[in-house]
Amino acid sequence: MAAAKIIPDPNYEERVRASFARQNAMATIGAELTLVTPGIIEIEMPFSEKLTQQHGFLHAGVISTALDSACGYAALSTIPDDASVLTIEFKVNLLAPGRGVRFLFRGSVTKPGRTIVVADGQAYAIGADDEAKLIATMTGTMMAVTGREGIEG
Amino acid sequence: MAAAKIIPDPNYEERVRASFARQNAMATIGAELTLVTPGIIEIEMPFSEKLTQQHGFLHAGVISTALDSACGYAALSTIPDDASVLTIEFKVNLLAPGRGVRFLFRGSVTKPGRTIVVADGQAYAIGADDEAKLIATMTGTMMAVTGREGIEG
Amino acid sequence: MAAAKIIPDPNYEERVRASFARQNAMATIGAELTLVTPGIIEIEMPFSEKLTQQHGFLHAGVISTALDSACGYAALSTIPDDASVLTIEFKVNLLAPGRGVRFLFRGSVTKPGRTIVVADGQAYAIGADDEAKLIATMTGTMMAVTGREGIEG
Amino acid sequence: MAAAKIIPDPNYEERVRASFARQNAMATIGAELTLVTPGIIEIEMPFSEKLTQQHGFLHAGVISTALDSACGYAALSTIPDDASVLTIEFKVNLLAPGRGVRFLFRGSVTKPGRTIVVADGQAYAIGADDEAKLIATMTGTMMAVTGREGIEG
């Protein structure tokens, strides 16, 4: 199969790290960037009792928050440096409870593009035994925007 | 069109409020239950700088967190009182930036059921002028589970 | 809530009908355009034994085919006449079996836009008693493209 | 990562082939089963002018029809032989036009389960040069049902 070529902007890592640092939601959930490569991003965070749903597991929305950032930065790493990324939509499947000591979220670009970038994500719960378990998947559609153009119009 | 009948459990409101109170993620994002009716739930929250993405707007994942809870509790309000609700999957479309003074999230049951409940949600940003703007929609699939059965198997 | 304004191109109906006529898949499934208004399209088709899944009901993919066209033409009716519409993605929830004498598919624009248009769809099965039953919902994201630009890049 | 174990029913292949043969929609679009293994199914079909959208490419709904069957049979191959599979919902991302001589659709089980099975699919267009190009991805949620139980309730 003909793979789509990803030619990263030379400053992709700096741009991803700077933008991530501005996402206050990432600090609030305790998330850190742990891998930044062209088209693949990883984010990790410890379990926190402040982020649970009613059974004491990580809330599906918090899983989605970290996956959305992972997919969005995977997209950002592949586009020109005068563009930013907006999430148009995403879908998340919750495969198992968000029960773990730590969590790892990976976002990968499935389809690069000038305007539309599609990324897929996986969320893993890591137990006290260091075993990783797939707990959720995401498919997200991102749009590269430049200048003042926005998703509003 | 033949509408699906929703016959609520008499204690639906108490169950929804008790479960919501156990979702620590709701307190963390400052969300409150503001409407609890059979099949329709509303959640509201103020804007917070701790929950932003890189442009200073509400993070799409936080919008999803509140929408998922609204849809989940809409489902919970329609099922027997010995069952709980798990989110199987959801999709969110982000229609406009999460820019506002407050936010309102509505979840409504589109298709009640014994095992599978489908709910739709809308997120609104409310400006300083009190105008509400639709910023996101969700479709979520929930499963009613009883006893020890879970989404894991 | 501030509703998004849809200002249709004066020739929207002619463009929608001409494009629909070129979609050979619509003739193959027996679908006809039965409502063309700015932002809302309806398509109808009779049940056919050639389009079933394993239990003899309308295949979920056929339901999606008609919903995608309904949503796509709802989008097309709202954009300038030099642009065409590509489906970026859609999600379908199957709420009840595709069992009926006829089927009606409605697509409506939820969020108009210059580049990205979001549309929602409903599919109804109509029984011998003329009762309509909601059998599926769709949310689709469409992109307006002009000139040689395409979803490929 | 701990992979989910799939223990197929011994008759899985026969069940998949028999059910596929009853899906009249598959014959109508010219689709054939070309791979049947536990948890992974492939379907192939030639291009047909009867199945196009307005630009002469394969209609997104037809792509979805074949992907839904591929994902559904991937799920069916992993569940007990007294159960059947219903599609609850799916999402499709269209990555490139459906332009090719032939098409291949793969469905794989991502998360097996007693009640809920999640499957992912890929659609490839195969050109005259025999190159395969990824044109669409699907994530689908399937439910295993036994007896008279259905998605309706």
Side-chain angles (χ1 to χ4, degrees):
Chain A
M1 162 192 134
K5 252 186 300 186
I6 297 177
I7 302 170
D9 167 62
N11 298 322
Y12 76 90
E13 182 167 355
E14 187 186 321
R15 288 163 56 221
V16 167
R17 292 195 181 277
S19 178
F20 186 92
R22 290 196 304 272
Q23 285 207 340
N24 294 351
M26 291 296 105
T28 298
I29 66 172
E32 293 183 9
L33 265 176
T34 53
L35 181 74
V36 181
T37 66
I40 303 180
I41 297 290
E42 289 183 1
I43 291 171
E44 295 184 51
M45 60 182 276
F47 175 77
S48 163
E49 300 226 332
K50 294 187 304 180
L51 302 173
T52 60
Q53 37 84 291
Q54 71 276 18
H55 305 118
F57 306 137
L58 199 63
H59 196 288
V62 177
I63 295 171
S64 305
T65 301
L67 280 174
D68 175 44
S69 286
C71 287
Y73 287 120
L76 186 65
S77 73
T78 67
I79 62 171
D81 73 353
D82 59 346
S84 63
V85 161
L86 290 179
T87 301
I88 298 177
E89 62 83 38
F90 59 74
K91 176 203 205 294
V92 178
N93 269 69
L94 290 319
L95 307 177
R99 180 168 34 198
V101 175
R102 296 183 59 73
F103 299 92
L104 185 151
F105 306 91
R106 181 183 298 123
S108 314
V109 169
T110 301
K111 170 69 176 65
R114 275 181 304 142
T115 306
I116 300 296
V117 179
V118 178
D120 283 275
Q122 292 86 35
Y124 299 92
I126 300 165
D129 57 1
D130 234 40
E131 282 278 306
K133 178 174 187 166
L134 183 66
I135 58 169
T137 59
M138 172 178 283
T139 300
T141 308
M142 275 78 188
M143 183 162 66
V145 292
T146 53
R148 301 173 55 89
E149 188 189 333
I151 202 172
E152 283 205 68
Chain B
M1 162 192 137
K5 252 187 299 185
I6 296 177
I7 303 170
D9 168 62
N11 299 322
Y12 76 90
E13 182 168 356
E14 186 186 321
R15 289 162 56 223
V16 167
R17 291 194 182 279
S19 179
F20 186 92
R22 290 197 305 272
Q23 285 207 342
N24 294 351
M26 291 297 103
T28 298
I29 65 171
E32 293 182 8
L33 265 176
T34 53
L35 181 76
V36 181
T37 66
I40 302 180
I41 298 289
E42 289 182 0
I43 291 172
E44 295 184 50
M45 60 183 276
F47 175 77
S48 162
E49 300 227 332
K50 294 187 304 180
L51 303 173
T52 60
Q53 36 84 292
Q54 71 277 17
H55 304 118
F57 306 137
L58 200 63
H59 195 289
V62 177
I63 295 170
S64 304
T65 301
L67 280 173
D68 175 44
S69 286
C71 287
Y73 288 120
L76 185 67
S77 73
T78 66
I79 63 171
D81 73 352
D82 60 344
S84 62
V85 161
L86 290 179
T87 301
I88 297 177
E89 62 84 37
F90 60 72
K91 176 204 206 293
V92 179
N93 268 69
L94 290 318
L95 307 178
R99 180 167 35 196
V101 174
R102 296 184 59 74
F103 298 92
L104 185 152
F105 307 91
R106 181 182 300 123
S108 314
V109 169
T110 301
K111 171 68 177 64
R114 274 180 305 140
T115 307
I116 300 295
V117 179
V118 177
D120 283 274
Q122 292 85 35
Y124 298 92
I126 300 166
D129 56 1
D130 234 40
E131 282 278 306
K133 178 175 186 167
L134 183 67
I135 59 169
T137 59
M138 172 179 281
T139 300
T141 308
M142 275 78 189
M143 184 162 65
V145 293
T146 54
R148 302 174 53 88
E149 185 188 334
I151 202 172
E152 284 206 64
Chain C
M1 161 192 139
K5 253 185 298 184
I6 296 177
I7 302 170
D9 168 61
N11 299 321
Y12 75 89
E13 182 167 356
E14 186 186 321
R15 289 162 56 220
V16 167
R17 292 196 181 278
S19 179
F20 186 91
R22 290 197 304 272
Q23 285 207 341
N24 294 350
M26 291 298 103
T28 297
I29 65 171
E32 293 182 8
L33 264 177
T34 53
L35 182 74
V36 181
T37 65
I40 302 180
I41 298 289
E42 289 183 1
I43 291 172
E44 295 184 50
M45 60 182 277
F47 176 77
S48 162
E49 300 226 333
K50 294 187 304 181
L51 302 174
T52 59
Q53 37 84 291
Q54 72 277 17
H55 304 118
F57 306 137
L58 199 63
H59 196 289
V62 177
I63 295 170
S64 304
T65 301
L67 280 174
D68 175 44
S69 286
C71 287
Y73 288 120
L76 185 66
S77 74
T78 67
I79 62 171
D81 73 352
D82 60 344
S84 62
V85 161
L86 291 179
T87 301
I88 298 178
E89 63 83 39
F90 59 74
K91 175 203 205 294
V92 179
N93 268 68
L94 290 319
L95 307 177
R99 180 166 36 198
V101 174
R102 296 184 59 72
F103 298 92
L104 185 151
F105 306 91
R106 181 183 299 123
S108 313
V109 168
T110 301
K111 171 69 176 63
R114 275 181 304 142
T115 306
I116 299 296
V117 179
V118 177
D120 282 275
Q122 292 86 36
Y124 298 92
I126 300 165
D129 57 1
D130 234 40
E131 281 278 307
K133 179 175 187 166
L134 183 66
I135 59 169
T137 58
M138 172 179 282
T139 300
T141 309
M142 275 77 189
M143 184 163 65
V145 291
T146 53
R148 301 172 54 89
E149 188 189 333
I151 201 170
E152 284 205 66
Chain D
M1 165 189 134
K5 253 188 296 185
I6 297 177
I7 303 170
D9 167 62
N11 299 322
Y12 77 90
E13 182 168 356
E14 187 185 321
R15 289 163 56 222
V16 167
R17 292 194 181 279
S19 179
F20 185 92
R22 290 197 304 273
Q23 285 207 341
N24 293 352
M26 291 297 104
T28 297
I29 65 171
E32 293 181 9
L33 265 176
T34 53
L35 181 75
V36 181
T37 65
I40 302 180
I41 298 290
E42 288 182 2
I43 291 172
E44 294 184 51
M45 60 182 277
F47 175 78
S48 162
E49 299 226 332
K50 294 188 304 181
L51 303 173
T52 60
Q53 36 84 291
Q54 70 276 18
H55 304 118
F57 306 137
L58 199 63
H59 195 289
V62 176
I63 295 170
S64 304
T65 301
L67 280 174
D68 175 44
S69 287
C71 287
Y73 288 121
L76 186 66
S77 73
T78 66
I79 62 171
D81 73 352
D82 60 345
S84 63
V85 161
L86 289 179
T87 301
I88 297 177
E89 62 84 36
F90 60 73
K91 176 203 206 292
V92 179
N93 269 68
L94 290 319
L95 307 178
R99 181 167 34 197
V101 174
R102 296 184 59 75
F103 299 91
L104 185 152
F105 306 91
R106 181 182 300 123
S108 313
V109 169
T110 301
K111 171 68 177 62
R114 275 179 305 139
T115 307
I116 299 296
V117 178
V118 178
D120 283 274
Q122 293 85 34
Y124 298 92
I126 300 166
D129 57 0
D130 235 40
E131 281 278 305
K133 177 173 186 167
L134 183 67
I135 59 168
T137 59
M138 173 179 280
T139 300
T141 308
M142 275 77 189
M143 183 162 65
V145 292
T146 54
R148 301 174 53 90
E149 185 189 333
I151 202 173
E152 283 206 66

